[in-house]
Amino acid sequence: KLFIKDLWFEKVPVRIYQPKVPSASQRKGVMFFHGGGWVSGSLETHEKLCRSIARESESVVVSVGYRLAPEHTYPAAYEDCLNATIHFMKDIEHYGVDPANVIVCGDSAGGNLAAAVSQTLAGRSDLPKLRAQVLIYPGLQALDFNLPSYQQNQRVPLLFRERAAFYVLQYLNGNASNLEEVLEGSHIPIDITLNYRKWVSPDNIPEKFKVRGYKPHVLLDCTTEVYETVKRFCEPNLCPLLAEDAIIQQLPESFILTCEYDVLRDDGLLYKKRLEDNGVRVTWYHLEDGFHGIINSFNSDWLSFSSGKRGLDNIVNFLKSL
């Protein structure tokens, strides 16, 4: 039911999925950025998911094969996703896509990249505005690895707390030499941490998400040497939760999917609150029985979860509603 084609946008490999059924009007275009902690994942790992989204939402899906860490550190992945999206938007007529109906979408690290690209494009007047962003259990900050969801789900597969910190350090520096400091929270000076407390704080998370064994974390100070190696964690292109309100206010309608048993759950909840506080329309879908990575297992041959299918159905329904 799909035409599938591998191309290059600038220097970035992409795979395009186009429905074969003729369409009376221009289609939606979905830029898809795969998950994998910025260090793994590919066009192949998310092939089934992209096919499903293209087929069921009748959209043109462009899956982006961005460069991976540790060989290519930040901002390589972000730049590849941004450049591929801009290339697509400039050549959009060619794909029968409505310029006013382009959506960025990604899971996990891909959700991070989608949020960062969305923020960057919000400030561009030379391109059409994005229609929406779809963030599937995104990782959006690296200041606090002791939020309730990090404590509660630290040993829940498929993403352990330590791995989450390891991945973001690989993306940032190509190594994880400051892993201990990042996990205990002694990687960012207290004054900077307090400055971001208005956005990154357990206080902004609804009480019902704190009942499962959460203990407030004591703030630790950090050495200059450690901060020097990780200070780019304060850049919104790496941690979109830290963008200023002026940027957040310009963001398009958003869909956020979170899973109860996921260390990244609270990143999604905090971003949802920020978007809503700034007047952005948010559709939030929470999988009470979900865990990190579940959407990609929706039709896996050896391990399939009904809640993964439910999550995917909600994503497709949101796309169809646009």
Side-chain angles (χ1 to χ4, degrees), residues 292-311:
H292 194 81
I294 195 165
I295 299 298
N296 228 17
S297 73
F298 74 96
N299 70 352
S300 153
D301 302 331
W302 54 279
L303 196 57
S304 197
F305 296 90
S306 60
S307 55
K309 181 77 175 88
R310 275 207 317 282

Side-chain angles (χ1 to χ4, degrees), residues 1-20:
K1 295 180 181 173
L2 299 169
F3 294 112
I4 302 176
K5 196 155 137 193
D6 286 348
L7 294 170
W8 293 84
F9 281 1
E10 314 296 328
K11 297 192 176 86
V12 186
V14 298
R15 183 167 293 167
I16 303 188
Y17 303 82
Q18 290 175 281
K20 285 183 178 174

Side-chain angles (χ1 to χ4, degrees), residues 107-276:
D107 65 316
S108 192
N112 166 285
L113 296 166
V117 166
S118 190
Q119 289 182 1
T120 304
L121 293 177
R124 296 265 306 236
S125 52
D126 58 326
L127 291 165
K129 288 260 171 272
L130 286 175
R131 177 66 184 88
Q133 57 176 351
V134 174
L135 311 178
I136 304 166
Y137 33 73
L140 299 167
Q141 60 86 32
L143 264 54
D144 190 348
F145 285 85
N146 290 285
L147 290 167
S149 61
Y150 269 111
Q151 292 187 25
Q152 295 159 343
N153 303 312
Q154 57 184 314
R155 292 184 191 85
V156 178
L158 301 165
L159 183 64
F160 302 123
R161 171 172 172 263
E162 197 170 294
R163 293 308 283 176
F166 172 83
Y167 287 143
V168 77
L169 279 165
Q170 290 279 340
Y171 179 37
L172 176 68
N173 289 329
N175 66 63
S177 54
N178 298 113
L179 186 61
E180 287 311 310
E181 291 88 349
V182 169
L183 286 168
E184 68 181 16
S186 63
H187 61 306
I188 305 283
I190 285 184
D191 57 328
I192 296 177
T193 304
L194 289 172
N195 179 41
Y196 285 120
R197 265 283 155 103
K198 57 186 183 284
W199 301 328
V200 184
S201 163
D203 300 345
N204 293 344
I205 291 169
E207 287 306 315
K208 68 172 187 177
F209 292 104
K210 296 181 203 170
V211 287
R212 217 164 25 96
Y214 163 64
K215 292 187 183 63
H217 186 69
V218 181
L219 276 184
L220 300 169
D221 213 349
C222 102
T223 64
T224 317
E225 301 87 74
V226 172
Y227 180 56
E228 272 307 305
T229 64
V230 301
K231 63 174 190 248
R232 297 182 82 186
F233 276 164
C234 297
E235 293 181 14
N237 288 341
L238 180 58
C239 295
L241 191 53
L242 308 184
E244 293 300 325
D245 285 344
I247 298 287
I248 300 284
Q249 283 156 12
Q250 299 179 60
L251 291 173
E253 186 176 342
S254 305
F255 177 98
I256 298 177
L257 182 134
T258 52
C259 293
E260 181 58 35
Y261 299 99
D262 179 6
V263 288
L264 299 183
R265 178 196 72 200
D266 294 351
D267 284 25
L269 294 177
L270 291 171
Y271 205 48
K272 168 183 182 280
K273 182 180 187 320
R274 285 217 61 201
L275 291 166
E276 289 172 343

